[in-house]
Amino acid sequence: MGREAHANTGGHTRHVPVMLRRCLDLLAPALERPGAVVVDCTLGLGGHSEALLTRFPEARLIALDRDKEALRLSGERLAPFGERATLVHAVYDELPDVLDRLGAPRVQGVLFDLGVSSMQLDEADRGFAYAQDAPLDMRMDQSAGISAAEVLNTYPPGDLVRILRAYGEEKQAKRIVAAVVREREKEPFTTSARLVELIRDALPQAAKRTGGNPAKRTFQALRIEVNGELSVLERAIPAAVRALDVGGRIAVLSYHSLEDRLVKQVLAAGAATTAPPGLPIVPERYQPRLKLLTRGAELPTEEEIAENRRAAPARLRGAQRVREHLE
């Protein structure tokens, strides 16, 4: 998973935002009007934001991130755009409060890119990646909340099993948790390497032969739990839809089936009529509020995956606000 890959080009690193052109094309009809406001709910290293400001010179950007280091780095990147870019330290379910505070209750575009940014994956001391040893932290905002180590060391076994099954879709959850509980009694978990090794040892041979690194699902589950990602998303997507002006557009990039399912449900509900069955004519208040812009979820091209392996699991969905929601 990952928002922006590090692509090595002639000795320097550049960031490759996932499905960038498609996201811009999806939002374009709403952002080409003068004075349009677009919200990047997941600023990260600023790749999508920079592209939005460049392609839509009349647009103003509001960008959110809960990671202070990401805000600092993207602030440097977006400095040339001056007052057109407003960066805010916030979790994306705080969107309504942020817009209220900035005096922009309705916006023309919203973009979510739900992957962990490559900065977080590649910075060893953040503990997101299972490929290198690091402290088990995984907090996107390191100034708040509990770490992955605390979850592993303190949660009751039943809760750990539930988290691994629900957020990691891990079939071997019971086996892994039994090993975790046994090991944490000897010594609390502090680093990712010990957890990776434990998972390798706990899994039956057949389970190790499929689906890449056997620790991947457990790390995903811990990250979602530590950052409250699904509950935040459950609040954030409907809030973003409500913030859209009529004609405004939303684009959402997800990286695993749990996120994608949630996004799909919210957008599909907005695009459905709420009329009781059997009405000969559907009154305005029951008409759909959204029009879907993607048929199912769009996938990255093979060329893009070749250039940026972290784009592989991405799923893009988009919708347009077509009418006010009449209570």
Side-chain angles (χ1 to χ4, degrees):
M1 267 189 248
R3 291 218 286 265
E4 299 176 36
H6 291 284
N8 242 326
T9 52
H12 72 283
T13 298
R14 70 186 172 91
H15 296 290
V16 188
V18 172
M19 295 181 80
L20 176 61
R21 182 170 296 161
R22 188 62 193 114
C23 288
L24 296 178
D25 289 348
L26 211 56
L27 296 170
L31 298 184
E32 278 159 351
R33 334 175 208 165
V37 177
V38 59
V39 183
D40 183 346
C41 287
T42 46
L43 173 63
L45 293 170
H48 283 112
S49 279
E50 183 180 44
L52 287 163
L53 288 163
T54 305
R55 174 147 169 199
F56 307 110
E58 303 279 343
R60 196 159 74 78
L61 170 89
I62 297 168
L64 280 55
D65 209 293
R66 60 178 14 173
D67 187 326
K68 288 178 177 170
E69 182 62 6
L71 284 166
R72 186 183 70 75
L73 292 168
S74 52
E76 292 170 10
R77 183 177 190 166
L78 301 178
F81 297 99
E83 292 181 356
R84 289 180 56 211
T86 304
L87 276 49
V88 184
H89 181 235
V91 183
Y92 42 70
D93 66 339
E94 298 173 69
L95 178 65
D97 297 341
V98 171
L99 294 179
D100 221 29
R101 220 164 52 231
L102 295 173
R106 302 306 281 274
V107 300
Q108 285 66 52
V110 180
L111 173 67
F112 283 88
D113 181 356
L114 301 171
V116 181
S117 87
S118 57
M119 179 192 74
Q120 292 163 337
L121 285 171
D122 294 340
E123 283 208 348
D125 63 354
R126 302 296 288 271
F128 285 94
Y130 39 79
Q132 52 193 345
D133 193 18
L136 272 171
D137 191 313
M138 298 196 196
R139 288 172 298 168
M140 290 180 190
D141 178 353
Q142 290 189 299
S143 63
I146 67 167
S147 69
E150 287 175 77
V151 170
L152 272 182
N153 293 327
T154 64
Y155 275 33
D159 287 353
L160 286 175
V161 170
R162 175 184 58 77
I163 288 163
L164 263 57
R165 281 187 180 149
Y167 299 158
E169 300 178 280
E170 175 55 81
K171 294 184 176 71
Q172 305 291 335
K174 270 192 159 165
R175 207 181 268 251
I176 291 169
V177 169
V180 165
V181 170
R182 197 168 56 242
E183 284 299 312
R184 76 186 185 184
E185 282 169 9
K186 298 177 195 168
E187 190 190 336
F189 283 88
T190 56
T191 65
S192 53
R194 184 171 165 223
L195 178 59
V196 171
E197 195 182 335
L198 174 143
I199 293 166
R200 281 190 199 282
D201 292 346
L203 293 182
Q205 276 308 115
K208 290 183 210 179
R209 283 197 290 270
T210 55
N213 191 310
K216 184 170 75 175
R217 291 179 293 277
T218 297
F219 272 65
Q220 173 182 301
L222 287 170
R223 199 197 79 224
I224 289 172
E225 172 66 18
V226 164
N227 295 293
E229 286 174 46
L230 287 176
S231 50
V232 168
L233 191 61
E234 255 171 328
R235 294 187 294 273
I237 302 291
V241 168
R242 283 194 296 273
L244 283 178
D245 231 346
V246 173
R249 290 175 166 226
I250 180 171
V252 186
L253 277 165
S254 316
Y255 293 80
H256 55 75
S257 56
L258 301 165
E259 289 173 341
D260 184 51
R261 202 177 305 146
L262 209 152
V263 173
K264 176 185 175 182
Q265 284 165 352
V266 174
L267 298 186
T273 172
T274 54
L279 290 185
I281 294 169
V282 176
E284 177 71 15
R285 72 175 183 277
Y286 296 131
Q287 297 280 6
R289 301 184 305 286
L290 295 179
K291 179 178 88 176
L292 300 181
L293 299 172
T294 46
R295 296 189 56 178
E298 288 187 11
L299 310 181
T301 62
E302 284 175 23
E303 295 78 32
E304 182 169 11
I305 294 168
E307 183 188 358
N308 176 1
R309 63 185 172 75
R310 288 184 183 157
R315 304 284 178 270
L316 175 64
R317 292 181 187 270
Q320 180 180 17
R321 183 77 180 252
V322 289
R323 55 171 54 75
E324 285 295 349
H325 179 41
L326 304 170
E327 296 298 340

